[in-house]
Amino acid sequence: MCGIAGWIGPIAKMDLLREMTDAVAHRGPDGDGHAVLRLDGNTQAALGHRRLSIIDLSSGGAQPMYSHDRRFAIVYNGEIYNYIELRDELRSLGAIFKSQSDTEIILEAWRFWGEDCLKRLRGMFAFALFDESERKVVLARDQFGKKPLFIAQRETAHGTSLVFGSEIQALLKHPDVEARLDLDSLHDYLCWRYVPGPATFFQGIRKLVPGGFLVWKNGRVEEKRYWLPPEESPERLPEPREPVAEFLEVFDEAVKLRLRADVPVGAFLSSGLDSASIVATLAHLGVSGIRTYSIGFRGDPASELPAAGETAKYFGTSHTPLELESGDLSAHLPTLSRHRGAPVAEAADLPIYLLSAEARRSVKVVLSGEGSDEMFAGYPKHLIEAHLGRFAPSGLLSLLGRTVLGAASFTTKANPRLAIAARAMSERDFDSRMIRWFGALTPVERQKIWRGPVASRALRPIPFQAAPGASPLRQVLHYDQTSWLPDNLLERMDTMTMAASVEARTPFMDVKLAEFASSLPEHWRIRGKVTKRIVREALSPRLPAAVLTRKKIGFRMPVAEWFRGSLKEQYRERLLAGDSVAANYLDRGMLGSLLNEHVEGRANHEKTLWSLFTLETFLREFF
């Protein structure tokens, strides 16, 4: 696990390369490495690296790493969990290894299999690989985009130049890359609460798509996807004959592979099913001395700490609860915004960072439950879309949305989730429904608050679509796996943990497990009111009954209370002041009205207020 940065182009200053990698030093405090390699003519490949030592702690894992014949060089961020199995297979083909590092596996895998090696890698990765023989550079990213890779591309008289890195702040150190706000992305953020990839908030900077790779050769760039998410593939996988047994086989392997490390490994533990399933499986696999970490707010009746403590006691883990004061945590926003290159739009990002910092006192690696809901259908939206979504394309639900559902959205004040569901299902357009479920402003609401230049389009479309004929549930899961996860939840997990120099591993996002999930008939994901049915039934013998019956809560942040208390004046001082950056694009009067309505209890705008407050923090940091 590391941070990478570099470029392909004419500039070859080692001091600049060091400055770029220093910007991501928190990702790799254990060492650094730099190389400038000649491609053709005036063009060189600069490869920079910061190392967080996890596997092969000796200098054998240092980067840039060269192959034994020095044909290939690589800088790489991530972990290849099946590296032992791949090493054995490659040795049988004649590969030569000089270290025990998983990094060297990529070098030899590329030599023997070329781009086909990428779909064999079971893990998380973003890398830049230099091939001296063919005078080319390959940039690649893992199947689900668990590791970030940002790219700035520039066309010159001599061909295409590239600047790349694990964080946008590293790219901005390069003189060819400027911090220019992309207004279309700002426009999109107001609805989605994140910027759908491959775009970013910065003009000229994009993300390499998950499951994608790019080849630079002779001044030209070719970009491809080497892997399609299962819900996008037109070919359905065969259904499992014994779903529970086959789930346990794949899940146990996914957890076991993620224990491979030469440093201590711990696990985040909440009150929910996903993290408890991982801890239960660690115990089932016979792992001793399991370290677990939980977080909550002092005095919060909905705190997850008591329930997490009971689960830790049940499994006999070495448990560390972190109890926070109820005061707001906004002091961390500027630093975390710089790391993310975007607003910290999920309030739960802050406790993830603080919990990671606490865990770093005793471990370098943590297991986390991200991806379970998006693979196995764990959100209320999945439940409702599965049952009502089949009517969405027809006029029936649209008509109901204008009457019953539309009315329900305003008469369910005591039940915010029901109000959200009613509003979401009243939307006939798929993207509009997704915004209603987890977003902030609708396109209509955004139009009322927007005062910037006219946007080039109403709404940036989600880049990838589910396979033709996919059910409503599978369409939502595909959106989750190709947009909501990589551009929001996984990006935040990577940024917040790496800000504390901790590596987070996500067993539920194993590629083989995702393929297994897609092969299931829908009733193994949703049955009646039961979500994630396969996970519950398969893990029930390992888990205490309380975990299986407990309602899904999620980590509750007292954001609504903050905006009626400590954040109220901060919001006014930043967003309503004369030097507000956001107010250059948004109606100042409406910004104030949203806060007033919330403070007076006439509406709960916590999600929108947080999105706007963190947007202003981000804009001040970069623009």
Side-chain angles (χ1 to χ4, degrees), residues 18 264 271 334-335 383 481 519 601 610:
R18 291 184 185 277
S271 64
T335 298
L383 187 68
Q481 294 168 19
S519 74
W610 181 262

Side-chain angles (χ1 to χ4, degrees), residues 404-424:
V404 179
L405 292 176
S409 69
F410 295 102
T411 59
T412 53
K413 208 168 185 181
N415 192 330
R417 288 189 176 183
L418 185 58
I420 291 171
R423 291 173 189 171

Side-chain angles (χ1 to χ4, degrees), residues 27-180:
R27 289 179 167 268
D30 298 332
D32 62 355
H34 309 85
V36 177
L37 308 167
R38 184 172 179 178
L39 282 162
D40 57 40
N42 224 1
T43 305
Q44 295 172 312
L47 305 179
H49 186 258
R50 293 291 310 213
R51 186 183 184 200
L52 179 66
S53 303
I54 302 292
I55 293 174
D56 194 356
L57 305 183
S58 69
S59 59
Q63 298 179 39
M65 180 178 286
Y66 296 86
S67 60
H68 65 89
D69 58 357
R70 297 188 73 83
R71 172 183 170 179
F72 302 105
I74 190 173
V75 287
Y76 147 67
N77 170 27
E79 299 289 350
I80 307 303
Y81 303 123
N82 61 334
Y83 74 101
I84 294 175
E85 292 77 9
L86 290 174
R87 179 188 288 129
D88 291 342
E89 185 176 358
L90 287 163
R91 274 183 173 149
S92 71
L93 298 175
I96 299 173
F97 295 98
K98 53 190 177 68
S99 76
Q100 298 301 310
S101 171
D102 62 321
T103 307
E104 196 174 11
I105 298 300
I106 302 175
L107 294 171
E108 294 305 308
W110 188 271
R111 181 197 305 275
F112 283 90
W113 298 318
E115 66 185 62
D116 288 341
C117 80
L118 297 171
K119 61 185 67 174
R120 294 172 178 251
L121 303 179
R122 195 171 170 185
M124 52 183 178
F125 57 86
F127 66 75
L129 184 148
F130 169 85
D131 182 341
E132 185 178 44
S133 288
E134 296 193 18
R135 298 292 177 182
K136 70 180 182 183
V137 176
V138 179
L139 304 181
R141 194 177 179 203
D142 67 71
Q143 293 90 336
F144 283 111
K146 288 173 273 189
K147 301 312 307 177
L149 189 55
F150 297 97
I151 299 170
Q153 185 169 324
R154 185 165 169 260
E155 305 303 324
T156 70
H158 303 289
T160 303
S161 65
L162 299 173
V163 182
F164 60 87
S166 298
E167 294 183 7
I168 287 176
Q169 60 178 337
L171 276 67
L172 294 176
K173 298 294 184 182
H174 195 283
D176 287 347
V177 184
E178 298 178 34
R180 291 179 294 153

Side-chain angles (χ1 to χ4, degrees), residues 227-278:
W227 186 83
L228 294 181
E231 306 298 352
E232 190 172 333
S233 174
E235 298 180 10
R236 288 295 306 277
L237 298 168
E239 294 182 4
R241 293 182 178 180
E242 299 182 41
V244 169
E246 292 180 40
F247 169 85
L248 287 174
E249 181 181 357
V250 182
F251 184 64
D252 287 356
E253 183 186 40
V255 174
K256 189 175 182 179
L257 286 175
R258 282 158 181 78
L259 292 174
R260 289 179 171 173
D262 296 330
V263 295
V265 177
F268 288 158
L269 181 60
S270 68
S271 64
L273 173 65
D274 305 330
S275 60
S277 296
I278 293 171

Side-chain angles (χ1 to χ4, degrees), residues 334-449:
T335 298
L336 297 178
S337 292
R338 284 198 301 275
H339 292 334
R340 186 160 183 177
V344 183
E346 297 287 339
D349 291 13
L350 298 174
I352 290 175
Y353 165 68
L354 294 172
L355 189 59
S356 300
E358 179 63 30
R360 185 63 171 84
R361 298 160 64 92
S362 51
V363 298
K364 276 188 174 182
V365 177
V366 293
L367 305 186
S368 183
E370 263 68 24
S372 174
D373 291 315
E374 292 79 9
M375 296 298 165
F376 295 99
Y379 293 127
K381 71 174 181 180
H382 297 135
L383 187 68
I384 294 170
E385 291 275 354
H387 292 309
L388 295 182
R390 60 185 178 273
F391 299 114
S394 70
L396 177 61
L397 188 59
S398 179
L399 177 62
L400 289 174
R402 293 190 180 96
T403 54
V404 179
L405 292 176
S409 69
F410 295 102
T411 59
T412 53
K413 208 168 185 181
N415 192 330
R417 288 189 176 183
L418 185 58
I420 291 171
R423 291 173 189 171
M425 297 312 294
S426 71
E427 298 284 356
R428 190 171 182 180
D429 175 70
F430 178 81
D431 286 1
S432 296
R433 286 213 310 282
M434 295 306 101
I435 289 171
R436 283 289 197 182
W437 281 119
F438 282 163
L441 302 171
T442 67
V444 172
E445 292 166 339
R446 177 185 59 186
Q447 190 62 28
K448 294 177 181 178
I449 200 172

Side-chain angles (χ1 to χ4, degrees), residues 321-344:
L322 180 61
E323 192 170 41
L324 304 176
E325 295 293 341
S326 59
D328 75 79
L329 309 175
S330 60
H332 298 284
L333 289 176
T335 298
L336 297 178
S337 292
R338 284 198 301 275
H339 292 334
R340 186 160 183 177
V344 183

